[in-house]
Amino acid sequence: GAGAGAGTASPGRRRSTPASRLASVSIASDPHHARISSGSTGDASPGRTGEMLVSASREDPMVQRIAALVAQAEGAFAFVVLAGDAVYGTRDRFGFRPLCIGKRLNPGAGGASYFLSSESCALGTVGASLVREVHPGEIVRVDARGVHSWVALPELQPRVQPALCVFEYVYFARPDSLIEGQLVHSVRQRLGRVLARECPVEADIVSGVPDSSIAAAIGYSAVSGLPYTEVFCKNRYIGRTFIQPDQTLRNNAIHLKFNALTHNVAGKRLVLIDDSIVRGNTLRKLVPLLREAGAKEVHIRISSPPLRHPCYMGVDIGTYDELIAHGAESIDKIRAHIGADSLEYITHEGMMDAVKEGIGGHHPHAPAAAEPRHSSSSTGGEVTSSHSKLQAASDSWSMPTGHCSACFTGKYPIRLEW
């Protein structure tokens, strides 16, 4: 009809679910116990500051329940809930994981459908376009009237420095996704350009480990002047190996996943770009594969710093023992382990500069951050309790930025309890 539909879309995430943290949270049964601020806009833009305060329990108990969860749960989460005749979505207050809103016009039926997705790249598969990202700590509801937005009051949800996982840019996100207003592919190219300036080497060609390192290899080629050439044929039916549950499965998957392109490699001094080294399994198999194909030299360059610390925010890297950079006495020990002629990493400063350079920039295919209003607030009522206040976020509320790089630095944005 003329109202908005609701849907979800996801390209598939590659992270473990922080179920242990969520399962331990107890939510108060009285919805008035939690105070959140909210409002209803009828579109996808954040709500307006100063709109009439309403009772959350009278308007939508589900919003109150989600707000109580967001206020108490610590760690990384972004989830979508289908309840009744509405779809709800939220991110943790640090914004570790991405979540975005999409919109598809329905010319025949009139009106529009809205979608919630972990990444913007999934929206195109259902004919939708990106409207904006859900803000850290924000709660959105999609129903027949459109999109409604709430943000928690400071006394319930103290403001914190946002901490989007920087590994989204390095590895997790698909290259055609938009995060913080910038194309992931472009960020990875910048990482490669910085890497070439920081870690040059004499060689004949440069290539990347498919697929997440190709953009960085292209960036490295642009700065170094070395021609970019593909050196691996990848089996598209083998999934990501670093999330396999045990070492034997990971090794078997690597053997099945790659074949060297012998004619591109033979007699060449090769720079091979990879996005990261977690356990070292992949490169330990790929370097000998390249030598067998006739590579004269194999120089490894990594477009992220040494990964020395576990992630406790939802990524399946659980212990220090799993991280080769933590146990190795030096970078040269890692080089010897993988069998390369040389090994160098981008600096942490260089990585962060590359990530921050394009934040908020306008991509030619990216829509505006917020759409014009097409309906007024549909909420009403009087404040019946100071413990049930809802207040909308401001229209001019620009999404704050910040990043978590704890897996590289060991500086976690939340306090860890053992």
Side-chain angles (χ1 to χ4, degrees), residues 8-15 78 80 91 97-102 115-126 128-134 164 167-169 171-179 182-185 188 240:
T8 60
S10 174
R13 310 304 289 160
R14 286 78 51 191
R15 312 166 183 81
V80 175
R91 296 172 69 187
R97 302 289 159 223
L99 187 65
C100 65
I101 303 170
F115 299 82
L116 296 173
S117 173
S118 57
E119 288 184 37
S120 63
C121 62
L123 298 173
T125 64
V126 292
S129 58
L130 176 66
V131 174
R132 67 174 177 88
E133 295 175 65
V134 176
L164 173 70
F167 224 64
E168 294 285 346
Y169 289 114
Y171 176 75
F172 284 139
R174 244 176 53 168
D176 52 339
S177 284
L178 284 162
I179 300 178
Q182 55 184 341
L183 192 67
V184 171
H185 181 84
R188 290 176 182 167
R240 291 187 165 180

Side-chain angles (χ1 to χ4, degrees), residues 8 14 33 52-53 155 201 260 337 340 408 416:
T8 60
R14 286 78 51 191
H33 181 72
M52 185 177 294
L53 299 179
E155 57 262 41
V201 63
H337 176 78
F408 305 115
L416 301 178

Side-chain angles (χ1 to χ4, degrees), residues 335-389:
R335 181 205 60 76
H337 176 78
I338 63 178
D341 291 282
S342 70
L343 168 65
E344 292 189 50
Y345 293 78
I346 194 173
T347 62
H348 182 265
E349 180 182 10
M351 176 185 69
M352 297 311 300
D353 286 345
V355 167
K356 295 175 182 178
E357 181 180 328
I359 289 178
H362 180 70
H363 184 267
H365 300 295
E371 299 182 313
R373 275 181 207 288
H374 57 75
S375 68
S376 61
S377 173
S378 57
T379 60
E382 298 179 354
V383 177
T384 57
S385 167
S386 62
H387 294 283
S388 61
K389 288 183 179 179

Side-chain angles (χ1 to χ4, degrees), residues 235-251:
N235 184 338
R236 304 294 175 180
Y237 298 98
I238 303 296
R240 291 187 165 180
T241 57
F242 110 97
I243 58 174
Q244 295 287 346
D246 62 58
Q247 187 69 34
T248 300
L249 290 175
R250 286 191 288 268
N251 288 337

Side-chain angles (χ1 to χ4, degrees), residues 21 58 186 208:
R21 289 190 177 275
R58 287 167 54 185
S186 299

